[in-house]
Amino acid sequence: MKPSSCSLVDIQQRINEVMQFLSVTLPIANAHTVEFYTQDVWKRFMAVSPEEVLLAVTPNSDRQREPERRRTEPSGTMFGFCSHSNRLLDTHEFLQGAKAHSLPGLEVCTSRSDFLLELKGNWSESTVLPEIVTELEADEFMNSKKSHEVQSMSEVVAGLARHSGVKQVIDVGSGKGYLSSFLSLQYGLQVYGIDSSSTNTHGAQERNRKLKKFSRVYQKQAKAGRTRGEATAQRGSAKVEPELKEDEDALCVDASRNESQEEEGGPIISSSPAAGRQTELSPDSEELFLSALSADVLEPASPRVPSSQLSDEEKERRKRENVERKAQSRRDGASDVFSPLTSYVTAETELRGLITELEDAVVVGLHTCGNLAPSTLRMFVAKPELAAVCSVGCCYHLLSEEFDPAGPESLDRSCGFPLSQYLHDRSCFCGRNARMSACLALERVSLGQGIQMESLFYRAVLHVILRDHYGSYKSDRRVGNVYSKAKSFLDYVRRALRKLELDESKLSDSDIQDYHDKYRPRMAEMHAFNMLKVTIAPCIEGLILLDRLCYLKEQEPVTFSALVQLFDPLLSPRCYAVIGLKASTKRKTSC
């Protein structure tokens, strides 16, 4: 079956399969790493040795066998778990089940190249083909990851625009404006970048100015090279390129800073220095697993401040800035316009109130954070002026869930999950820790990038100490960024107790070291358990993305929808785009 031809019934069937797998395995993803020893998590879920698990998850082991999604399970087990005790008996059955119920195993995705071929195959002879207005080398002014993402996605977005017969693009959660600027300069599209952070908007405007300057120099060199018949070996301007490179260097430095800031349950800080905001997450026990990962394993969150939380002065200031930016764009008189706007957008946002020149457009989002990705899809469905959508989400741990019993009660259907009526009717939920696990990158962790086991181990043993000597002490204060500063386990515990404002005189140095020595032999249990969490991650992400695809297939105005793998998962772990098209009033699509 061609992935793009998957019907609503087909997608619902795949959802059922994933839900069956997760009904057995989701408790592992929702287990608290902080409570690993206090709750004896390994004994509760595992009937195998940690050595067996670690051997099985090693590359080139039996785990690499082809998935058998509809195989018959041995009597008394399901996906390797005992039907009576709910403990893992067969690691290989579990790993095969996880592989079979990830998006590649479910066979519902199409590749970027196949999607572009299918898209172009539906163009008539009168269709204006995607035209490159200015040939740009993205890696001249972006790091390798961002360059890969922007180039891969921009070609798809340009194809959707030409297919739909539109010239405008709305980039929701545009952040630093790399995608917006590239679409504008390379493909000549009129792009409106909307971000809730005014600092991001200012930064995107300044960066676009530099890119335009770079583009003009680049075009002059290319023209001169053609005239002389020489290859244009030197790209850009020495005065411009370093200026752009500085932005990327700052991003890389800030991403490294994230690794220490996210340690042991500390609040996640946006990797954008311009963002200047702190996303409030749950206590240590709920976020430690993510926080012990290197910055490369996670996608940074984008700042979003609801308009209801803004002061009247801030709302007026944003409105004034948007008007000034529009006026400046008109004065520039450029045909390849990128207009950065500051606004918090939802499905109910009146786009024409933000963009007075709005025509039919494609709405896009590159790594839109949390609820912004499903809001983008709702917006696409609700707004007749939006002809197509291309949405790549991230930060699943920031999604709101309507039916999570452990989460805040919500009667609002604007929650991020579930989005589809099909899963809503089944009151489906994942749980916060499971959504945090969905942010992990199996491909990278499999290559040895990611989990910092020692910091997880230190925090779990600290929890034992707090239970034994401080009466299962709970506090609104967090341990936070202590591990990166600690020289040893002893130093770590001392720093943590001081930060929690507890009496550290209760414990001698030898008492603290005894805890370390007692649990150190069991560190392999934690390592093995967390590797199983990582293995389940693609299945949880798959359920979230299938829910979004199912939502589009439920909508009457949407004539075509698909999941498309846009990026290399090693370069960009959140690599799947949800794409949708509506029937064109000028030309009916046969997709």
Side-chain angles (χ1 to χ4, degrees):
M1 178 188 342
K2 293 176 65 178
S4 59
S5 64
C6 286
S7 66
L8 174 59
V9 174
D10 295 327
I11 298 303
Q12 291 171 344
Q13 176 60 36
R14 298 298 192 274
I15 287 175
N16 290 340
E17 294 174 14
V18 178
M19 288 179 67
Q20 184 183 25
F21 175 73
L22 291 178
S23 69
V24 177
T25 61
L26 202 60
I28 289 180
N30 275 317
H32 290 178
T33 308
V34 166
E35 299 173 344
F36 190 80
Y37 297 122
T38 57
Q39 299 293 327
D40 208 356
V41 170
W42 182 265
K43 190 173 183 179
R44 202 167 96 211
F45 291 106
M46 301 290 125
V48 294
S49 69
E51 291 76 20
E52 179 181 333
V53 172
L54 290 173
L55 180 63
V57 299
T58 302
N60 301 320
S61 69
D62 288 349
R63 173 181 177 270
Q64 304 300 314
R65 291 181 293 182
E66 288 300 312
E68 302 174 40
R69 179 153 41 89
R70 294 178 177 84
R71 65 172 292 139
T72 302
E73 295 289 336
S75 177
T77 67
M78 180 177 287
F79 304 117
F81 283 80
C82 176
S83 301
H84 303 291
S85 67
N86 297 322
R87 298 172 72 199
L88 182 64
L89 297 173
D90 190 324
T91 305
H92 294 300
E93 289 294 335
F94 166 79
L95 294 175
Q96 285 185 340
K99 187 173 183 179
H101 293 88
S102 65
L103 288 177
L106 292 168
E107 300 177 348
V108 293
C109 296
T110 188
S111 68
R112 173 179 165 275
S113 57
D114 286 346
F115 174 73
L116 286 171
L117 285 174
E118 185 174 356
L119 189 65
K120 294 173 182 177
N122 285 279
W123 290 346
S124 65
E125 294 182 359
S126 61
T127 301
V128 180
L129 298 179
E131 177 184 353
I132 295 179
V133 176
T134 303
E135 185 73 48
L136 295 177
E137 293 291 340
D139 53 8
E140 295 279 357
F141 48 87
M142 305 178 199
N143 63 26
S144 58
K145 176 180 181 292
K146 185 59 65 177
S147 172
H148 171 65
E149 292 167 351
V150 166
Q151 291 187 89
S152 298
M153 187 165 178
S154 63
E155 185 179 3
V156 171
V157 173
L160 290 171
R162 300 311 190 269
H163 178 89
S164 302
V166 303
K167 296 182 179 180
Q168 291 186 351
V169 174
I170 299 174
D171 184 3
V172 178
S174 53
K176 290 173 174 283
Y178 288 116
L179 177 64
S180 297
S181 294
F182 198 82
L183 285 167
S184 171
L185 293 171
Q186 172 127 332
Y187 291 100
L189 294 165
Q190 186 175 23
V191 185
Y192 297 95
I194 305 176
D195 196 273
S196 63
S197 167
S198 59
T199 311
N200 269 357
T201 305
H202 282 299
Q205 188 175 33
E206 176 62 16
R207 192 168 292 102
N208 188 62
R209 180 190 66 77
K210 297 175 185 177
L211 289 175
K212 284 185 177 180
K213 183 178 179 182
F214 177 90
S215 175
R216 287 193 292 269
V217 174
Y218 193 103
Q219 290 180 71
K220 288 179 182 178
Q221 288 192 346
K223 183 176 180 180
R226 287 192 299 270
T227 303
R228 295 191 306 268
E230 299 174 352
T232 56
Q234 296 180 347
R235 308 279 185 183
S237 167
K239 294 182 179 179
V240 178
E241 182 177 347
E243 192 176 17
L244 293 164
K245 284 287 187 180
E246 286 176 6
D247 291 326
E248 286 305 314
D249 292 341
L251 178 63
C252 293
V253 170
D254 215 58
S256 298
R257 190 179 302 121
N258 261 8
E259 183 172 341
S260 61
Q261 288 174 331
E262 293 178 11
E263 289 282 346
E264 304 172 343
I268 292 181
I269 308 297
S270 169
S271 67
S272 166
R277 78 93 168 94
Q278 186 169 299
T279 301
E280 188 67 20
L281 296 180
S282 59
D284 290 343
S285 62
E286 295 185 2
E287 62 186 36
L288 179 65
F289 186 55
L290 278 187
S291 67
L293 300 169
S294 69
D296 285 342
V297 181
L298 299 173
E299 298 293 343
S302 300
R304 298 194 75 212
V305 181
S307 56
S308 59
Q309 298 179 13
L310 298 176
S311 65
D312 292 339
E313 291 79 5
E314 175 65 12
K315 291 178 182 178
E316 183 61 31
R317 186 181 66 81
R318 290 187 175 193
K319 182 178 180 180
R320 185 170 61 253
E321 288 176 351
N322 289 338
V323 171
E324 290 172 356
R325 273 190 285 271
K326 290 178 183 179
Q328 183 62 47
S329 296
R330 294 191 191 99
R331 287 194 294 271
D332 291 343
S335 58
D336 50 344
V337 174
F338 164 44
S339 302
L341 305 171
T342 303
S343 178
Y344 180 92
V345 294
T346 67
E348 290 73 37
T349 299
E350 182 51 59
L351 294 176
R352 296 191 186 278
L354 287 174
I355 308 168
T356 55
E357 305 88 352
L358 181 64
E359 302 171 359
D360 286 354
V362 177
V363 61
V364 304
L366 174 54
H367 291 150
T368 45
C369 177
N371 285 347
L372 186 55
S375 290
T376 301
L377 298 179
R378 286 190 175 105
M379 184 188 301
F380 164 67
V381 170
K383 309 295 182 186
E385 62 267 29
L386 299 179
V389 64
C390 182
S391 171
V392 182
C394 70
C395 302
Y396 302 127
H397 57 297
L398 298 181
L399 279 172
S400 60
E401 290 195 79
E402 186 171 354
F403 300 108
D404 183 0
E409 185 176 356
S410 175
L411 300 177
D412 186 2
R413 280 299 305 274
S414 64
C415 285
F417 183 86
L419 186 63
S420 68
Q421 188 63 46
Y422 186 75
L423 280 181
H424 187 270
D425 290 344
R426 285 153 183 76
S427 302
C428 182
F429 70 92
C430 296
R432 179 173 178 78
N433 282 355
R435 286 183 282 106
M436 293 170 76
S437 296
C439 296
L440 303 177
L442 175 62
E443 292 81 5
R444 288 184 175 181
V445 174
S446 297
L447 294 179
Q449 305 174 22
I451 300 180
Q452 301 172 1
M453 286 309 307
E454 190 173 62
S455 65
L456 290 171
F457 172 72
Y458 279 15
R459 184 61 184 87
V461 178
L462 173 65
H463 205 63
V464 178
I465 293 174
L466 295 177
R467 178 199 64 186
D468 291 351
H469 296 275
Y470 299 93
S472 297
Y473 181 83
K474 292 184 179 180
S475 171
D476 292 335
R477 300 180 65 86
R478 300 182 185 180
V479 174
N481 183 21
V482 171
Y483 173 78
S484 62
K485 302 173 185 177
K487 299 177 182 178
S488 64
F489 178 73
L490 174 61
D491 186 32
Y492 171 88
V493 173
R494 294 293 186 198
R495 287 174 178 269
L497 292 176
R498 286 194 294 269
K499 187 164 185 178
L500 294 172
E501 299 180 350
L502 295 174
D503 181 10
E504 59 178 303
S505 65
K506 287 185 175 183
L507 296 167
S508 66
D509 289 354
S510 60
D511 290 335
I512 295 173
Q513 191 61 40
D514 285 346
Y515 276 96
H516 176 276
D517 296 344
K518 176 182 178 180
Y519 286 97
R520 184 72 185 189
R522 296 181 58 188
M523 190 172 175
E525 294 176 2
M526 179 176 284
H527 187 191
F529 191 82
N530 285 330
M531 289 304 296
L532 294 180
K533 272 193 168 188
V534 173
T535 304
I536 300 172
C539 306
I540 304 169
E541 179 182 34
L543 180 64
I544 292 170
L545 295 180
L546 285 172
D547 172 55
R548 295 174 184 179
L549 179 60
C550 184
Y551 169 76
L552 289 186
K553 290 191 177 294
E554 290 171 345
Q555 310 306 314
E556 187 175 344
V558 181
T559 58
F560 172 85
S561 56
L563 276 176
V564 179
Q565 182 176 333
L566 292 188
F567 312 134
D568 179 346
L570 283 175
L571 283 173
S572 183
R574 307 280 75 79
C575 60
Y576 295 104
V578 180
I579 292 178
L581 285 162
K582 294 176 185 173
S584 172
T585 56
K586 300 177 182 178
R587 181 187 65 257
K588 294 287 184 181
T589 177
S590 58
C591 288

